[in-house]
Amino acid sequence: AQSVTQLDSHVSVSEGTPVLLRCNYSSSYSPSLFWYVQHPNKGLQLLLKYTSAATLVKGINGFEAEFKKSETSFHLTKPSAHMSDAAEYFCVVSNGNQFYFGTGTSLTVIP
Amino acid sequence: ETGVTQTPRHLVMGMTNKKSLKCEQHLGHNAMYWYKQSAKKPLELMFVYSLEERVENNSVPSRFSPECPNSSHLFLHLHTLQPEDSALYLCASSQSSSPSGINEQFFGPGTRLTVL
């Protein structure tokens, strides 16, 4: 069985400070992992995806995520938050055609 | 913006109306999905089509009827909806057997549905 837990429903950071959005997954075998971002009244946009080639994955807009098998985690980070990063973020685990979404983390960036 | 388009972007309908949502993907994918996103609720998978066959139906009420005439188009037919069906309906597509094995979904912008 596969599942995703996003540990924080809301995160607030000041502009220019680091961002950490936490995600833990459960999977019975090697998963595919993704982070998506959703701006208000928009669809979901892929930020980054995990392949087995590298545990540190770089995505768009300066975001990164590190796959840690021992911790079953795939946390999303960014060194310096920008106002435009304010959005909803979803962690996703996949097996073929099945996609399991986390409940989302709302990121607020304070000027 | 993306290779997945949805029309209309906004829809207001009465409970007795019949309407359809349309999704089109221009990415050559072989799987398409309907999701429902309600305020303060997790994303809900409604239907999955793979190679134009419905492979998943997540206990969705019969007032929602999907149709996938070909691999590029997906419809969601709506009939006698309830106010609690008001939500953002998102379409997505993916390639279920890509050479890289990575099969991320690409999402459309959604249709904001309001049922009066």
Side-chain angles (χ1 to χ4, degrees), chain A residues 18-71:
Chain A
V19 176
L20 170 64
L21 305 183
R22 297 182 295 165
C23 172
N24 285 98
Y25 70 91
S26 171
S27 177
S28 41
Y29 43 85
S30 295
S32 297
L33 291 159
F34 312 89
W35 275 99
Y36 284 86
V37 61
Q38 185 180 31
H39 291 277
N41 297 312
K42 302 276 188 180
L44 278 69
Q45 180 186 15
L46 182 69
L47 271 181
L48 49 80
K49 58 190 178 188
Y50 165 69
T51 71
S52 56
T55 56
L56 182 62
V57 181
K58 294 187 183 298
I60 61 172
N61 301 335
F63 284 93
E64 306 186 329
E66 187 170 8
F67 174 70
K68 292 187 176 180
K69 187 174 181 179
S70 60
E71 299 176 10

